[in-house]
């Protein structure tokens, strides 16, 4: 008679164990992710340094704070974007000539859609910001619109090739000089997903449901034997 209980009980125990272990794994991943985000946040807000030497691969230096002085060139790329409370608009990525003669990419920030046609001539700026390699472009990202010149993602190598700069992008945090209606959009950790708590809760809830279904099945077996 007890043999009828063995398989559903074993299935229930094994299933609950697997689901609980997945939940615990996600809790561990949550701790790892929070530590990583804290490290990135500390790097973003660190002491600004000079721009790395020419030829340096800045991809591993993502989020490093830097300060540069120089002059915008008037050559810019507008990347389709949006801002809460403002609406649609564009990120302005400028070709920036440093005081030392280097030409790099500078993400100056956001402009509303209506400011697209505003003239932004060359101007002197001192910028504090962060090196960045945004991973926004994939196989589904449309190519830049040839007619309007609008881009749909920040692609560092492609933008550098278009504007004739080094493949280095600085995202402005603070700007000294003529803002020209552009609002800086600093690099933050808010765009980095951290869904591990939600995943953990889901696995634990599934374990509870699985345990409940197991208990119900055992109750049904007992009723049938009564």
């Amino acid at each position: 008679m007890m043999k009828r209980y063995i398989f559903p009980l074993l299935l229930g125990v094994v299933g609950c164990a697997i689901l609980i272990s997945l939940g615990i794994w996600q809790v561990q991943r949550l701790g790892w992710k929070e530590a990583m985000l804290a490290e990135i946040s500390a790097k973003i807000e660190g002491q600004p340094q000079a721009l790395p030497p020419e030829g340096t691969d800045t991809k591993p230096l993502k989020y490093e704070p830097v300060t540069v002085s120089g002059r915008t060139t008037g050559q810019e790329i507008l990347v389709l974007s949006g801002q809460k409370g403002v609406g649609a608009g564009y990120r302005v990525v400028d070709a920036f000539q440093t005081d030392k003669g280097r030409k790099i990419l500078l993400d100056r920030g956001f402009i509303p859609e209506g400011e697209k046609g505003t003239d932004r001539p060359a101007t002197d700026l001192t910028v504090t910001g962060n090196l960045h390699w945004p991973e926004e472009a994939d196989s589904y990202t449309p190519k830049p619109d040839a007619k309007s010149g609008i881009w749909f993602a920040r692609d560092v190598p492609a933008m550098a090739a278009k504007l004739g700069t080094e493949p280095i992008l600085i995202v402005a945090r603070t700007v000294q000089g003529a803002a020209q209606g552009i609002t800086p959009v600093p690099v933050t950790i808010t765009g980095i997903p951290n869904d591990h708590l939600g995943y953990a809760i889901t696995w634990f809830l599934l374990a509870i449901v699985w345990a409940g279904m197991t208990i119900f099945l055992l109750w049904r077996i007992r009723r049938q034997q009564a």
Side-chain angles (χ1 to χ4, degrees):
M1 185 179 298
M2 291 298 296
K3 290 181 180 179
R4 298 186 63 182
Y5 291 97
I6 293 176
F7 178 72
L9 182 60
L10 182 62
L11 187 64
V13 170
V14 172
C16 285
I18 292 173
L19 292 169
I20 290 172
S21 66
L22 288 170
I24 293 172
W25 177 64
Q26 287 295 339
V27 170
Q28 293 170 341
R29 293 279 294 174
L30 175 63
W32 165 81
K33 193 61 170 284
E34 288 179 341
M36 184 192 74
L37 291 175
E39 182 179 346
I40 293 174
S41 183
K43 180 185 288 188
I44 290 173
E45 298 169 4
Q47 184 65 31
Q49 306 295 321
L51 194 65
E54 189 170 355
T56 301
D57 180 9
T58 59
K59 198 166 186 177
L61 300 178
K62 186 176 179 179
Y63 304 124
E64 290 287 346
V66 294
T67 295
V68 292
S69 293
R71 187 172 179 82
T72 64
T73 62
Q75 297 174 283
E76 64 182 28
I77 287 173
L78 298 181
V79 184
L80 189 65
S81 185
Q83 199 169 66
K84 189 175 181 180
V86 178
Y90 308 94
R91 278 183 176 267
V92 180
V93 179
D94 211 308
F96 187 77
Q97 189 90 31
T98 72
D99 288 343
K100 295 185 178 180
R102 296 172 62 181
K103 200 174 180 183
I104 63 172
L105 297 169
L106 175 63
D107 183 336
R108 299 179 64 186
F110 178 83
I111 57 170
E113 188 174 16
E115 298 296 319
K116 177 179 179 293
T118 301
D119 187 32
R120 287 175 285 275
T123 185
D124 294 326
L125 297 176
T126 296
V127 179
T128 297
N130 298 87
L131 298 174
H132 198 30
W133 275 82
E135 298 177 0
E136 298 173 343
D138 57 28
S139 58
Y140 298 100
T141 304
K143 293 183 178 180
D145 188 285
K147 185 176 181 180
S148 65
I150 300 302
W151 289 50
F152 299 94
R154 291 175 297 175
D155 184 331
V156 174
M159 291 190 301
K162 175 67 175 180
L163 296 180
T165 71
E166 296 179 43
I168 296 178
L169 174 68
I170 297 176
V171 178
R173 177 172 293 274
T174 61
V175 177
Q176 297 177 22
Q180 296 180 320
I182 303 172
T183 303
V185 183
V187 174
T188 67
I189 62 172
T190 55
I192 303 176
N194 184 14
D195 302 319
H196 297 293
L197 179 59
Y199 295 150
I201 292 172
T202 299
W203 288 123
F204 289 138
L205 288 176
L206 286 173
I208 293 172
V209 171
W210 192 278
M213 291 174 63
T214 301
I215 292 170
F216 177 73
L217 180 58
L218 294 173
W219 176 77
R220 287 287 302 273
I221 293 173
R222 183 180 179 184
R223 287 269 306 225
Q224 290 173 359
Q225 292 176 347

